[in-house]
Amino acid sequence: MVTEMKLGLCNPPEPIYLDVKSRELNGESYLWYNYDINNDTTIPVHKTGLIGYISELKLKTT
């Protein structure tokens, strides 16, 4: 596991909007969905783990 964060200048990352819901699509179960705010659609994420550095977390119940 990488625990060292490199310091320096860079462009800030784009925010990732995730929709979390457990459901099936074409016989496969998914938990994570990328939410496309421009088209108001969700796209299933095939990976089951979430890693990274979180700088802000907002929860919205819909």
Side-chain angles (χ1 to χ4, degrees):
M1 182 169 126
V2 177
T3 59
E4 181 181 333
M5 187 183 232
K6 298 203 183 268
L7 300 177
L9 297 173
C10 68
N11 291 325
E14 294 291 322
I16 298 172
Y17 298 95
L18 289 176
D19 189 14
V20 182
K21 58 185 163 194
S22 182
R23 68 181 215 207
E24 282 191 19
L25 182 65
N26 297 329
E28 292 196 43
S29 294
Y30 296 96
L31 178 62
W32 301 101
Y33 295 83
N34 282 327
Y35 180 67
D36 183 351
I37 61 170
N38 296 324
N39 297 318
D40 193 28
T41 59
T42 56
I43 303 160
V45 177
H46 299 282
K47 307 288 185 187
T48 57
L50 178 64
I51 60 170
Y53 296 100
I54 297 174
S55 61
E56 183 177 357
L57 182 64
K58 294 180 182 178
L59 301 176
K60 181 179 175 183
T61 304
T62 57

